[in-house]
Amino acid sequence: MRNVLIVDDQQGIRLLLEEVFKKEGYGTKSAANGGEALQQVKNEQPDCILLDMKMPGMDGIDVLRQLKKEWPEIPVIMMTAYEELKLVEHALEIGAEKYFTKPFDIFEVRDAVNLLLAS
């Protein structure tokens, strides 16, 4: 079974994404912040990570940097509520596969993950 890690400080978004991916047949884990996310990845590497850009403490860019340093093979999709082009471009340069701006179309996110993990 493929596993998706959902990292977002908003519980509602984590729950919504978990529900969508469970219906698709994925195993899901979630984390409310960057530190929690990195700990989970150390314990068990997911097949894909959905990562919020803006979180208290360690932001998404810092988490992405750490992930790409230690687990470069895990695809990461960024999520942001802000249309911050410079940050988004920076995330893509560091190694994010894709990004979605909130509020996103849940089916587009699902399809992007399905496509990434199909190969």
Side-chain angles (χ1 to χ4, degrees):
M1 177 189 286
R2 299 275 199 178
N3 291 300
V4 178
L5 174 61
I6 299 155
V7 187
D8 200 301
D9 57 324
Q10 294 177 19
Q11 185 181 11
I13 289 180
R14 290 194 312 268
L15 292 172
L16 174 67
L17 288 169
E18 280 187 32
E19 190 178 310
V20 166
F21 286 104
K22 280 180 181 167
K23 281 183 182 166
E24 285 291 299
Y26 289 94
T28 63
K29 296 251 171 120
S30 67
N33 59 56
E36 213 179 286
L38 292 171
Q39 190 55 53
Q40 288 208 24
V41 176
K42 277 182 188 148
N43 295 341
E44 182 185 347
Q45 281 90 57
D47 296 295
C48 183
I49 300 171
L50 294 168
L51 178 60
D52 189 22
M53 193 93 77
K54 290 279 189 193
M55 295 179 290
M58 185 185 266
D59 73 9
I61 294 287
D62 293 335
V63 177
L64 178 64
R65 241 188 228 111
Q66 193 71 29
L67 287 168
K68 287 298 167 184
K69 195 167 86 181
E70 295 188 43
W71 303 279
E73 71 286 352
I74 301 174
V76 179
I77 295 176
M78 302 301 290
M79 303 179 291
T80 180
Y82 311 93
E83 193 56 72
E84 293 175 338
L85 217 50
K86 282 208 183 335
L87 264 184
V88 166
E89 284 172 356
H90 190 53
L92 294 171
E93 284 168 14
I94 295 170
E97 301 292 327
K98 195 172 184 65
Y99 76 94
F100 287 96
T101 305
K102 297 175 189 173
F104 42 70
D105 179 328
I106 198 75
F107 302 110
E108 283 182 19
V109 175
R110 177 201 63 193
D111 293 347
V113 170
N114 283 338
L115 196 61
L116 264 178
L117 297 181
S119 49

